[in-house]
């Protein structure tokens, strides 16, 4: 007999909707530039209800950032699991491809960028470090790669962020070609 379908309560379902909206809105206007009312409007619920779900803007931003890292971790895990080349380098390459596909949704990428710029807010800095720790630990254990290879993988990912956020693919200068050569992303 199939398991009964899990039904989310209104608060749980709305919480998920608000987090999705927060990812979208914070990714466009950042932590400091985004009022709760803008996220509520995007989610089609009242600002008062958002405040019932999240005690403050920091908690909402952290929930959005946690979800961002959950999605990133899931994509990296799928990449590791589906890698045809089972060597550490092959698994890292597959994980990189899966992450590149994920950040085709620029909102996840931009949320991370905004989190870095707001990392001096204690709750956001802690969430950012927690997310990076989870990703680094998962990449290391899933790939079996050396610490140096994991460090290069994370550094390469940050270079991808820089290329995408600054539009370096469109810059014809030699220095930009140097940084973008061999980097894949959608």
């Amino acid at each position: 007999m199939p398991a009964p379908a899990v039904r989310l309560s209104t608060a749980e379902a709305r919480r998920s909707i608000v987090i999705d909206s927060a990812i979208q809105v914070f990714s466009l206007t950042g932590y400091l530039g985004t009022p709760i009312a803008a996220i509520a409007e995007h989610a089609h619920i009242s600002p008062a209800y958002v405040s019932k779900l999240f005690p403050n803007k920091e908690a909402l931003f952290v929930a959005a950032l946690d979800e961002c890292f959950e999605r990133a971790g899931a994509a990296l895990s799928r990449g590791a699991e589906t890698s045809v080349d089972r060597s550490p380098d092959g698994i890292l390459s597959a994980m990189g491809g899966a992450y590149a596909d994920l950040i085709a949704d620029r909102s996840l990428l931009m949320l991370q960028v905004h989190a870095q710029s707001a990392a001096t807010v204690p709750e956001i800095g802690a969430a950012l470090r927690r997310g990076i720790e989870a990703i680094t630990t998962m990449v290391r254990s899933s790939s079996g790669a050396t610490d140096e290879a994991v460090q290069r993988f994370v550094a390469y990912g940050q270079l991808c962020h820089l290329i995408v956020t600054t539009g370096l693919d469109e810059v014809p200068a030699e220095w930009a070609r140097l940084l973008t050569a061999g980097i894949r992303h959608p």
Side-chain angles (χ1 to χ4, degrees):
M1 177 189 305
V6 175
R7 235 181 133 154
L8 296 178
S9 74
T10 302
E12 288 174 293
R14 294 263 172 113
R15 182 176 171 81
S16 178
I17 290 167
V18 171
I19 290 171
D20 287 343
S21 288
I23 290 170
Q24 295 299 315
V25 178
F26 279 132
S27 75
L28 295 173
T29 52
Y31 171 72
L32 292 175
T34 303
I36 293 288
I39 295 166
E41 180 180 340
H42 187 274
H44 304 291
I45 63 174
S46 73
Y49 196 80
V50 172
S51 295
K52 276 182 72 171
L53 297 172
F54 300 92
N56 53 43
K57 188 164 75 167
E58 291 85 5
L60 179 53
F61 191 93
V62 166
L65 187 58
D66 288 345
E67 177 62 23
C68 176
F69 279 115
E70 283 290 322
R71 293 178 191 179
L76 292 167
S77 289
R78 279 191 305 279
E81 292 164 5
T82 60
S83 177
V84 176
D85 180 347
R86 300 308 301 165
S87 70
D89 285 344
I91 293 170
L92 287 175
S93 179
M95 293 171 95
Y99 184 73
D101 290 342
L102 177 74
I103 64 168
D105 173 358
R106 297 293 190 251
S107 61
L108 298 174
L109 168 64
M110 292 309 298
L111 183 67
Q112 291 177 57
V113 170
H114 285 299
Q116 290 173 358
S117 72
T120 56
V121 175
E123 298 88 348
I124 295 171
L128 185 59
R129 288 185 294 276
R130 201 171 46 248
I132 294 168
E133 175 188 13
I135 295 297
T136 303
T137 301
M138 188 277 295
V139 166
R140 184 182 194 200
S141 66
S142 295
S143 69
T146 65
D147 290 352
E148 293 80 14
V150 172
Q151 183 186 46
R152 273 192 308 278
F153 178 82
V154 173
Y156 186 86
Q158 290 300 304
L159 178 58
C160 289
H161 286 192
L162 177 71
I163 290 168
V164 171
T165 59
T166 60
L168 286 183
D169 283 334
E170 306 303 319
V171 176
E174 183 178 340
W175 67 268
R177 285 193 305 276
L178 173 80
L179 291 177
T180 60
I183 303 289
R184 62 182 168 161
H185 57 275

